[in-house]
Amino acid sequence: MKILALDSSGLVASVAVMENDVTVAEYTLNYKKTHSQTLLPMLDEIRSMTELDLSSIDAIAVASGPGSFTGLRIGAATAKGLGLALDVPIIPVPTVDSLAYNLYGSKQLICPLMDARRNQVYTGLYTFEGSALVTIEPQCAVDIADIIGKINEMGKAVIFLGDGVCVYQKKIEELIHVQYDFAPSCCNRQRAACVAALGEKLYQRGVMQTAAQHAPDYLRLSQAERERNQSKEV
């Protein structure tokens, strides 16, 4: 089983290839360039360095959202184009789930935070039971105070990760009433290897789409759509 994984849902661009539970290659970049500039060159570098024959790919796992609207569209377009060209299925992997997977085996409650602007975050709550990632609160777009309130109600130690941490750290420290920690820099951003690992599990459960079927899951309307709806109401 060989999976190509892509993640361009946030500030980080990441590409990985996994074969039979082994991460063959991973290229992750967190720099001031657009994903349209980086994603395909990163894929080509991995292909060249590992002598990868793209026709040997069995499926393409892609971070399907939520996240940056532009980033998700770039990832989806890349996955769809490759899926059509290679005639392989696409495995849509929830972005927040794959971010939580960075902390595999953690005994704490896991709370990924992606900055969604307007005082909101893309988030969810997770834990591990053995090797299984268990979703306690599915990925959602909520006010930062709402997710902290749910954590306080649960009364369990929690670890935060994601680009939303640096944006809302002070707010977290003001509102949190349980023991908490922040993930270190080595495992607090999106990684395509995690998308691949979860993608394999989803593939085994039959969760996949054709390239034509795949579309990002934005979770909420874009700013342009919200403003258009508001103008209609007026």
Side-chain angles (χ1 to χ4, degrees):
M1 179 68 184
K2 189 179 291 186
I3 294 176
L4 170 66
L6 309 170
D7 193 331
S8 57
S9 60
L11 300 175
V12 170
S14 189
V15 180
V17 174
M18 187 179 77
E19 184 173 5
N20 298 329
D21 289 329
V22 175
T23 300
V24 177
E26 183 179 30
Y27 192 159
T28 299
L29 187 65
N30 186 7
Y31 193 66
K32 299 176 182 179
K33 290 187 177 181
T34 65
H35 296 326
S36 60
Q37 294 175 290
T38 58
L39 203 62
L40 284 176
M42 290 163 65
L43 171 58
D44 188 56
E45 182 70 14
I46 281 181
R47 182 200 59 76
S48 175
M49 291 295 290
T50 63
E51 300 179 345
L52 173 67
D53 179 359
L54 287 176
S55 65
S56 67
I57 294 294
D58 295 297
I60 300 168
V62 61
S64 60
S68 157
F69 282 62
T70 301
L72 290 175
R73 284 192 286 266
I74 291 169
T78 303
K80 286 167 74 73
L82 289 169
L84 286 169
L86 302 174
D87 192 25
V88 295
I90 291 177
I91 310 167
V93 180
T95 302
V96 181
D97 294 20
S98 62
L99 187 53
Y101 209 73
N102 271 281
L103 302 182
Y104 179 91
S106 173
K107 302 301 181 184
Q108 297 166 286
L109 191 64
I110 301 169
C111 182
L113 297 173
M114 295 175 65
D115 183 22
R117 308 292 175 87
R118 296 172 175 261
N119 212 45
Q120 285 199 324
V121 289
Y122 297 123
T123 187
L125 294 175
Y126 305 85
T127 189
F128 276 94
E129 293 182 1
S131 62
L133 179 67
V134 177
T135 301
I136 297 172
E137 185 72 28
Q139 60 178 25
C140 53
V142 297
D143 189 284
I144 182 64
D146 292 340
I147 194 66
I148 298 301
K150 289 182 179 179
I151 293 169
N152 287 336
E153 289 174 5
M154 294 181 67
K156 295 181 178 180
V158 62
I159 183 166
F160 296 96
L161 74 158
D163 60 57
V165 169
C166 58
V167 178
Y168 296 105
Q169 184 170 343
K170 288 186 178 179
K171 195 76 170 179
I172 293 169
E173 292 170 344
E174 290 173 4
L175 298 175
I176 198 80
H177 300 318
V178 299
Q179 183 179 345
Y180 68 94
D181 200 358
F182 300 114
S185 61
C186 61
C187 54
N188 72 351
R189 292 292 189 272
Q190 288 89 339
R191 288 185 56 196
C194 291
V195 175
L198 276 182
E200 183 182 38
K201 294 180 183 298
L202 291 172
Y203 183 90
Q204 292 169 350
R205 287 163 41 195
V207 179
M208 64 190 83
Q209 304 168 328
T210 65
Q213 291 171 328
H214 178 67
D217 181 11
Y218 298 114
L219 277 192
R220 67 176 191 177
L221 298 175
S222 68
Q223 182 175 346
E225 290 171 315
R226 292 195 300 271
E227 291 175 351
R228 182 182 62 193
N229 290 343
Q230 288 173 356
S231 65
K232 288 180 179 179
E233 290 174 1
V234 174

